[in-house]
Amino acid sequence: LAKDPLKLDDCLAYRPLLVLPIIYRRWAGIRLHNLDPWTRCWRMPHMFAGNGNNGADDAWWVTNLHFERAALNNREITGGTADIFKCFDQVLRQLLKIMLIKGGMPRRVVDPYMKYMDTLQLHNTVAGSIGEAYTIETGIPQGCPLSMMFIAFLLRPWILLMVKMGAVPRILADDILIYAEGDQHEEKFRKAFEATHEFVFDIG
């Protein structure tokens, strides 16, 4: 899709959308439902995408309530958000595979998923023309039913790190929110935000 109708001749001004076969989307949706007992094992209240029934609206409501309570108690807050740039496109699948296996995801789901993604042939289509087939070494498809859950799983160690540092994290798909409240809130937030950049860099 063209992000800017005035830049149709700029190849970098397009947003690629991966449309997967319907039979794969059915398979992934069924597997996501089957995996519910496993995903419940690592679910955390800080996750507002990819695990459970909470969404971004729930995250903003809960966060706003916390902010209101802090204001009523004269407690200061420092916080911020970050959008992980091209998050789905840059996921290192080999790292994801290792983490999923170590985390207890059934191999009968991990292995066919990874094999499919590693051998998937893609074609770009622009203005009715179809390009040559190619494969991609990194990334997971944004429209896949499993992808949001994978992002939540990848970011779970980050949540644990933020909590340990005294900050409050929130996952909203590929957007993340962090804030710190009360004593030394500015310093806690600064350290947490710096650690966030390091974590995102470390996972690729």
Side-chain angles (χ1 to χ4, degrees), residues 181-201:
E181 176 184 341
D183 297 337
Q184 297 182 319
H185 58 96
E186 292 175 328
E187 183 65 10
K188 287 180 183 177
F189 171 75
R190 183 186 64 79
K191 290 181 178 179
F193 210 67
E194 288 176 354
T196 297
H197 282 272
E198 292 177 9
F199 178 86
V200 172
F201 179 80

Side-chain angles (χ1 to χ4, degrees), residues 97 124 142 181:
K97 180 179 180 178
N124 289 333
Q142 191 164 349
E181 176 184 341

Side-chain angles (χ1 to χ4, degrees), residues 52-67:
N53 297 318
N54 291 331
D57 287 344
D58 300 294
W60 293 120
W61 275 105
V62 170
T63 304
N64 284 334
L65 288 172
H66 286 187
F67 287 6

